[in-house]
Amino acid sequence: MAEILQKDGTWIFDGDALRLTPGRDRNVGLLRRELGELVVPLRALAGVSFEQGKKAGRLRLRLRDGADPLLQATGGRLAEPHDPYQLLVESDRYGVAEYLVDEVRRALLLDEVPSDPVDAYLLPGPPVPLSVSAGDGAASFDGETVRLEWNWKTEEAKASAGPRTLSVADIDGVEWQPAVGLENGVLRFRPRHAPAAPPPKYDPNAVELWGFRKDPLMALVAAAVQARLPHPAATAATAVDAVDARPQLPGPAAEGDHDALLRRLRELGELHRDGVLTDDEFALAKQAVLKRL
Protein backbone atom coordinates (compact mmCIF):
# COMPACT_ATOMS: atom_id res chain seq x y z
CA MET A 1 0.00 0.00 0.00
CA ALA A 2 1.17 3.53 -0.79
CA GLU A 3 -0.32 6.64 0.83
CA ILE A 4 0.34 10.36 0.66
CA LEU A 5 -1.43 12.93 2.86
CA GLN A 6 -1.32 16.61 1.91
CA LYS A 7 -3.30 19.79 2.55
CA ASP A 8 -4.51 19.46 -1.03
CA GLY A 9 -5.83 15.94 -0.41
CA THR A 10 -5.00 12.31 0.25
CA TRP A 11 -4.19 9.58 -2.26
CA ILE A 12 -4.14 5.93 -1.18
CA PHE A 13 -3.21 3.04 -3.47
CA ASP A 14 -4.02 -0.51 -2.32
CA GLY A 15 -2.85 -2.39 -5.42
CA ASP A 16 -6.28 -2.54 -7.03
CA ALA A 17 -7.47 1.07 -6.96
CA LEU A 18 -6.50 4.61 -6.08
CA ARG A 19 -8.66 6.37 -3.49
CA LEU A 20 -8.58 10.14 -4.04
CA THR A 21 -9.89 12.34 -1.21
CA PRO A 22 -9.89 16.14 -1.56
CA GLY A 23 -8.32 18.17 1.23
CA ARG A 24 -9.90 20.99 3.21
CA ASP A 25 -7.39 23.63 2.22
CA ARG A 26 -8.98 26.84 0.90
CA ASN A 27 -7.13 26.37 -2.40
CA VAL A 28 -8.98 23.12 -3.15
CA GLY A 29 -11.48 23.82 -5.93
CA LEU A 30 -15.21 23.79 -5.31
CA LEU A 31 -15.79 20.99 -7.83
CA ARG A 32 -13.33 18.67 -6.07
CA ARG A 33 -14.97 19.33 -2.71
CA GLU A 34 -18.47 18.68 -4.05
CA LEU A 35 -17.36 15.58 -5.96
CA GLY A 36 -15.86 14.13 -2.78
CA GLU A 37 -13.90 10.90 -2.64
CA LEU A 38 -13.17 9.10 -5.90
CA VAL A 39 -12.17 5.45 -6.26
CA VAL A 40 -10.28 4.90 -9.51
CA PRO A 41 -9.79 1.23 -10.45
CA LEU A 42 -6.34 0.27 -11.68
CA ARG A 43 -7.71 -0.80 -15.08
CA ALA A 44 -8.95 2.78 -15.66
CA LEU A 45 -5.41 4.19 -15.47
CA ALA A 46 -3.16 4.89 -18.42
CA GLY A 47 -0.31 6.29 -16.34
CA VAL A 48 0.85 8.42 -13.41
CA SER A 49 3.58 11.05 -13.12
CA PHE A 50 5.18 13.34 -10.57
CA GLU A 51 6.58 16.75 -11.45
CA GLN A 52 8.91 18.46 -8.99
CA GLY A 53 8.97 22.21 -8.50
CA LYS A 54 11.03 24.59 -6.41
CA LYS A 55 8.39 24.97 -3.70
CA ALA A 56 5.90 22.22 -4.52
CA GLY A 57 5.39 19.33 -6.89
CA ARG A 58 2.37 17.83 -8.55
CA LEU A 59 1.09 14.27 -8.91
CA ARG A 60 -0.95 13.65 -12.06
CA LEU A 61 -3.05 10.69 -13.05
CA ARG A 62 -3.72 9.94 -16.70
CA LEU A 63 -6.87 7.92 -17.32
CA ARG A 64 -7.59 5.79 -20.34
CA ASP A 65 -9.68 7.62 -22.92
CA GLY A 66 -13.37 7.00 -22.34
CA ALA A 67 -12.94 5.66 -18.78
CA ASP A 68 -14.42 8.64 -16.93
CA PRO A 69 -17.65 10.48 -17.84
CA LEU A 70 -16.35 13.64 -16.10
CA LEU A 71 -13.32 13.83 -18.39
CA GLN A 72 -15.49 12.91 -21.37
CA ALA A 73 -17.95 15.72 -20.65
CA THR A 74 -15.34 18.38 -19.91
CA GLY A 75 -12.83 17.44 -22.59
CA GLY A 76 -9.85 18.04 -20.30
CA ARG A 77 -10.82 21.67 -19.71
CA LEU A 78 -10.97 21.56 -15.90
CA ALA A 79 -8.60 24.07 -14.30
CA GLU A 80 -6.02 22.73 -11.83
CA PRO A 81 -7.88 23.62 -8.59
CA HIS A 82 -10.89 21.61 -9.82
CA ASP A 83 -9.11 18.67 -11.46
CA PRO A 84 -9.54 15.62 -9.16
CA TYR A 85 -6.67 13.81 -10.89
CA GLN A 86 -3.99 16.23 -9.71
CA LEU A 87 -2.49 16.58 -6.23
CA LEU A 88 -0.25 19.38 -4.99
CA VAL A 89 2.72 17.90 -3.07
CA GLU A 90 4.85 19.79 -0.56
CA SER A 91 8.62 19.57 -1.08
CA ASP A 92 9.24 17.48 2.06
CA ARG A 93 6.98 14.73 0.66
CA TYR A 94 8.66 14.30 -2.72
CA GLY A 95 10.03 10.90 -1.73
CA VAL A 96 6.57 9.66 -0.73
CA ALA A 97 5.11 10.89 -4.03
CA GLU A 98 7.80 9.10 -6.02
CA TYR A 99 7.16 5.90 -4.07
CA LEU A 100 3.44 6.07 -4.88
CA VAL A 101 4.24 6.58 -8.57
CA ASP A 102 6.57 3.55 -8.53
CA GLU A 103 3.91 1.37 -6.86
CA VAL A 104 1.19 2.35 -9.33
CA ARG A 105 3.47 1.85 -12.33
CA ARG A 106 4.59 -1.54 -11.03
CA ALA A 107 0.97 -2.63 -10.60
CA LEU A 108 0.11 -1.47 -14.13
CA LEU A 109 2.97 -3.57 -15.50
CA LEU A 110 2.21 -6.66 -13.41
CA ASP A 111 -1.50 -6.57 -14.29
CA GLU A 112 -0.66 -5.78 -17.93
CA VAL A 113 -3.18 -2.95 -17.98
CA PRO A 114 -3.33 -1.52 -21.52
CA SER A 115 -3.29 2.23 -22.09
CA ASP A 116 -5.60 2.22 -25.11
CA PRO A 117 -9.15 3.69 -25.03
CA VAL A 118 -12.00 1.77 -23.41
CA ASP A 119 -15.48 1.14 -24.79
CA ALA A 120 -17.37 1.51 -21.48
CA TYR A 121 -17.13 3.87 -18.52
CA LEU A 122 -15.05 2.49 -15.65
CA LEU A 123 -16.11 5.21 -13.21
CA PRO A 124 -19.75 5.82 -12.30
CA GLY A 125 -19.92 9.60 -12.59
CA PRO A 126 -21.22 12.00 -9.91
CA PRO A 127 -24.12 10.80 -7.76
CA VAL A 128 -27.62 12.15 -8.35
CA PRO A 129 -29.84 14.04 -7.73
CA LEU A 130 -27.85 17.16 -8.60
CA SER A 131 -28.88 20.79 -8.76
CA VAL A 132 -26.59 23.71 -9.60
CA SER A 133 -27.27 27.41 -10.14
CA ALA A 134 -24.77 29.44 -12.15
CA GLY A 135 -24.71 31.91 -15.00
CA ASP A 136 -28.15 32.59 -16.46
CA GLY A 137 -29.90 29.53 -15.04
CA ALA A 138 -30.09 26.43 -12.88
CA ALA A 139 -29.63 22.82 -14.01
CA SER A 140 -31.09 19.83 -12.15
CA PHE A 141 -30.72 16.14 -12.90
CA ASP A 142 -32.39 13.23 -11.11
CA GLY A 143 -30.88 10.40 -13.14
CA GLU A 144 -33.60 10.40 -15.78
CA THR A 145 -34.59 14.00 -16.49
CA VAL A 146 -32.71 17.27 -16.94
CA ARG A 147 -34.53 20.44 -15.93
CA LEU A 148 -33.26 23.91 -16.86
CA GLU A 149 -34.74 26.96 -15.14
CA TRP A 150 -33.96 30.61 -15.79
CA ASN A 151 -33.25 33.63 -13.63
CA TRP A 152 -33.60 37.40 -13.97
CA LYS A 153 -30.32 37.57 -15.91
CA THR A 154 -31.56 35.27 -18.70
CA GLU A 155 -32.14 36.73 -22.17
CA GLU A 156 -35.87 37.32 -22.64
CA ALA A 157 -36.00 35.29 -25.87
CA LYS A 158 -34.83 32.23 -23.95
CA ALA A 159 -36.68 32.79 -20.67
CA SER A 160 -40.04 33.43 -22.33
CA ALA A 161 -40.49 29.73 -23.14
CA GLY A 162 -40.27 28.85 -19.44
CA PRO A 163 -38.32 25.99 -17.83
CA ARG A 164 -36.92 23.34 -20.14
CA THR A 165 -37.25 19.60 -19.41
CA LEU A 166 -35.28 16.92 -21.29
CA SER A 167 -35.36 13.16 -20.84
CA VAL A 168 -32.04 11.32 -21.05
CA ALA A 169 -33.55 9.26 -23.87
CA ASP A 170 -33.98 12.48 -25.89
CA ILE A 171 -30.42 13.74 -25.36
CA ASP A 172 -27.80 13.01 -27.99
CA GLY A 173 -24.86 14.65 -26.24
CA VAL A 174 -23.72 17.06 -23.54
CA GLU A 175 -20.87 19.55 -23.36
CA TRP A 176 -19.35 21.81 -20.72
CA GLN A 177 -16.92 24.62 -21.41
CA PRO A 178 -15.55 27.13 -18.91
CA ALA A 179 -15.48 30.86 -19.52
CA VAL A 180 -12.07 31.83 -20.93
CA GLY A 181 -11.05 35.46 -21.29
CA LEU A 182 -13.88 37.34 -22.97
CA GLU A 183 -15.56 34.11 -24.11
CA ASN A 184 -18.42 32.88 -21.92
CA GLY A 185 -18.70 29.23 -20.97
CA VAL A 186 -21.64 26.89 -21.43
CA LEU A 187 -23.42 23.78 -20.21
CA ARG A 188 -25.29 22.54 -23.29
CA PHE A 189 -27.49 19.54 -23.98
CA ARG A 190 -27.95 18.43 -27.58
CA PRO A 191 -31.42 16.96 -28.23
CA ARG A 192 -31.66 14.23 -30.83
CA HIS A 193 -32.31 15.41 -34.40
CA ALA A 194 -32.20 19.08 -33.32
CA PRO A 195 -31.03 21.75 -35.77
CA ALA A 196 -27.78 23.62 -35.24
CA ALA A 197 -27.75 25.24 -31.81
CA PRO A 198 -27.85 29.03 -31.45
CA PRO A 199 -25.39 30.84 -29.14
CA PRO A 200 -25.83 29.83 -25.46
CA LYS A 201 -27.39 33.21 -24.69
CA TYR A 202 -30.41 32.21 -26.80
CA ASP A 203 -30.28 28.41 -26.62
CA PRO A 204 -33.11 26.96 -24.46
CA ASN A 205 -31.04 23.77 -24.05
CA ALA A 206 -28.01 25.58 -22.62
CA VAL A 207 -26.94 27.53 -19.54
CA GLU A 208 -24.56 30.38 -20.31
CA LEU A 209 -21.64 30.63 -17.85
CA TRP A 210 -19.81 33.87 -17.07
CA GLY A 211 -16.75 32.68 -15.17
CA PHE A 212 -18.13 32.91 -11.64
CA ARG A 213 -17.28 30.68 -8.68
CA LYS A 214 -19.99 28.04 -9.18
CA ASP A 215 -19.43 27.54 -12.92
CA PRO A 216 -17.28 24.38 -12.46
CA LEU A 217 -20.15 22.68 -10.59
CA MET A 218 -22.09 22.61 -13.86
CA ALA A 219 -19.45 20.10 -15.01
CA LEU A 220 -20.84 17.67 -12.41
CA VAL A 221 -24.28 17.88 -14.04
CA ALA A 222 -22.69 17.33 -17.45
CA ALA A 223 -20.76 14.29 -16.16
CA ALA A 224 -23.81 12.75 -14.45
CA VAL A 225 -25.77 12.96 -17.71
CA GLN A 226 -22.79 11.76 -19.77
CA ALA A 227 -22.53 8.64 -17.58
CA ARG A 228 -26.08 7.68 -18.58
CA LEU A 229 -25.70 8.24 -22.31
CA PRO A 230 -24.39 5.54 -24.67
CA HIS A 231 -20.61 5.40 -24.52
CA PRO A 232 -19.02 7.31 -27.45
CA ALA A 233 -17.00 4.23 -28.47
CA ALA A 234 -20.18 2.18 -28.83
CA THR A 235 -21.81 4.93 -30.90
CA ALA A 236 -18.73 5.19 -33.08
CA ALA A 237 -18.64 1.43 -33.59
CA THR A 238 -22.27 1.57 -34.71
CA ALA A 239 -21.40 4.32 -37.18
CA VAL A 240 -18.51 2.27 -38.60
CA ASP A 241 -20.77 -0.78 -38.90
CA ALA A 242 -23.37 1.32 -40.69
CA VAL A 243 -20.75 2.51 -43.17
CA ASP A 244 -19.49 -1.06 -43.63
CA ALA A 245 -23.05 -2.24 -44.30
CA ARG A 246 -23.61 0.21 -47.13
CA PRO A 247 -23.60 -1.46 -50.53
CA GLN A 248 -20.33 -0.85 -52.37
CA LEU A 249 -20.21 -0.05 -56.03
CA PRO A 250 -18.17 -2.54 -58.02
CA GLY A 251 -14.70 -1.35 -58.88
CA PRO A 252 -11.47 -2.69 -60.30
CA ALA A 253 -9.79 -5.44 -58.35
CA ALA A 254 -6.69 -3.29 -57.88
CA GLU A 255 -8.69 -0.89 -55.73
CA GLY A 256 -8.51 -3.39 -52.84
CA ASP A 257 -9.18 -2.97 -49.16
CA HIS A 258 -6.96 0.11 -48.84
CA ASP A 259 -9.12 2.17 -51.20
CA ALA A 260 -12.29 0.84 -49.56
CA LEU A 261 -11.08 2.09 -46.19
CA LEU A 262 -10.26 5.47 -47.68
CA ARG A 263 -13.83 5.65 -49.01
CA ARG A 264 -15.12 4.88 -45.52
CA LEU A 265 -13.05 7.71 -44.10
CA ARG A 266 -14.63 10.09 -46.62
CA GLU A 267 -18.10 8.80 -45.72
CA LEU A 268 -17.43 9.32 -42.02
CA GLY A 269 -16.29 12.85 -42.81
CA GLU A 270 -19.57 13.48 -44.62
CA LEU A 271 -21.57 12.14 -41.64
CA HIS A 272 -19.58 14.44 -39.37
CA ARG A 273 -20.15 17.49 -41.57
CA ASP A 274 -23.87 16.69 -41.77
CA GLY A 275 -24.11 16.59 -37.97
CA VAL A 276 -24.94 12.88 -37.78
CA LEU A 277 -21.73 12.21 -35.83
CA THR A 278 -20.49 14.42 -33.00
CA ASP A 279 -16.81 15.44 -32.81
CA ASP A 280 -16.05 12.66 -30.30
CA GLU A 281 -17.95 10.02 -32.28
CA PHE A 282 -16.19 11.02 -35.51
CA ALA A 283 -12.76 10.92 -33.84
CA LEU A 284 -13.35 7.42 -32.44
CA ALA A 285 -14.85 6.08 -35.66
CA LYS A 286 -11.98 7.57 -37.67
CA GLN A 287 -9.46 5.98 -35.30
CA ALA A 288 -11.11 2.58 -35.74
CA VAL A 289 -10.84 2.83 -39.53
CA LEU A 290 -7.26 4.10 -39.46
CA LYS A 291 -6.22 1.07 -37.41
CA ARG A 292 -7.29 -1.13 -40.32
CA LEU A 293 -5.16 0.78 -42.84
Side-chain angles (χ1 to χ4, degrees):
M1 176 178 288
E3 180 180 37
I4 182 167
L5 287 76
Q6 295 289 278
K7 293 179 181 178
D8 196 40
T10 299
W11 286 14
I12 301 174
F13 179 60
D14 62 6
D16 296 318
L18 263 166
R19 189 176 298 273
L20 315 178
T21 306
R24 297 184 179 182
D25 188 76
R26 61 184 178 86
N27 293 322
V28 176
L30 185 59
L31 182 145
R32 284 180 61 199
R33 294 203 298 270
E34 290 293 324
L35 187 60
E37 185 177 85
L38 277 178
V39 178
V40 184
L42 183 66
R43 60 195 178 96
L45 294 178
V48 59
S49 64
F50 176 59
E51 304 163 4
Q52 294 189 15
K54 292 182 179 179
K55 296 182 178 180
R58 192 173 296 276
L59 277 167
R60 298 179 189 269
L61 287 183
R62 184 165 57 88
L63 272 61
R64 298 169 66 186
D65 289 344
D68 180 25
L70 176 62
L71 294 182
Q72 187 71 40
T74 59
R77 291 182 289 265
L78 286 175
E80 288 183 359
H82 304 289
D83 188 343
Y85 303 115
Q86 298 189 35
L87 182 72
L88 198 64
V89 178
E90 297 168 5
S91 58
D92 61 347
R93 290 293 182 269
Y94 282 2
V96 179
E98 290 170 346
Y99 173 71
L100 184 140
V101 167
D102 289 342
E103 288 296 295
V104 173
R105 288 177 175 172
R106 183 178 296 112
L108 289 171
L109 286 173
L110 290 175
D111 285 25
E112 298 182 343
V113 177
S115 59
D116 56 344
V118 298
D119 57 7
Y121 292 122
L122 302 180
L123 281 87
V128 294
L130 273 170
S131 184
V132 179
S133 297
D136 69 349
S140 308
F141 182 54
D142 61 8
E144 297 180 356
T145 303
V146 173
R147 182 176 174 83
L148 302 178
E149 299 180 84
W150 316 116
N151 55 38
W152 64 273
K153 296 171 284 188
T154 309
E155 183 71 23
E156 177 63 25
K158 181 161 72 171
S160 61
R164 179 73 162 155
T165 302
L166 293 166
S167 168
V168 169
D170 297 327
I171 296 175
D172 188 52
V174 57
E175 65 173 305
W176 173 87
Q177 294 184 24
V180 178
L182 298 178
E183 294 292 327
N184 291 335
V186 65
L187 168 67
R188 190 197 305 273
F189 301 95
R190 297 193 302 271
R192 297 185 186 280
H193 312 302
K201 184 176 182 179
Y202 304 104
D203 189 351
N205 300 307
V207 177
E208 187 177 33
L209 306 175
W210 298 318
F212 296 152
R213 180 173 176 269
K214 289 189 176 181
D215 281 11
L217 295 183
M218 285 293 188
L220 297 180
V221 180
V225 174
Q226 184 73 57
R228 290 159 176 82
L229 296 178
H231 193 278
T235 308
T238 301
V240 172
D241 290 343
V243 172
D244 289 344
R246 291 184 179 183
Q248 301 293 327
L249 294 174
E255 191 175 41
D257 292 339
H258 185 273
D259 289 342
L261 290 173
L262 290 178
R263 285 200 305 274
R264 289 171 191 159
L265 281 176
R266 288 194 292 270
E267 290 170 335
L268 287 172
E270 292 171 2
L271 291 172
H272 181 232
R273 286 192 297 274
D274 293 341
V276 177
L277 295 178
T278 66
D279 291 345
D280 289 339
E281 292 166 353
F282 171 67
L284 288 167
K286 179 180 175 182
Q287 183 182 49
V289 175
L290 289 175
K291 285 183 178 179
R292 301 184 191 177
L293 283 172

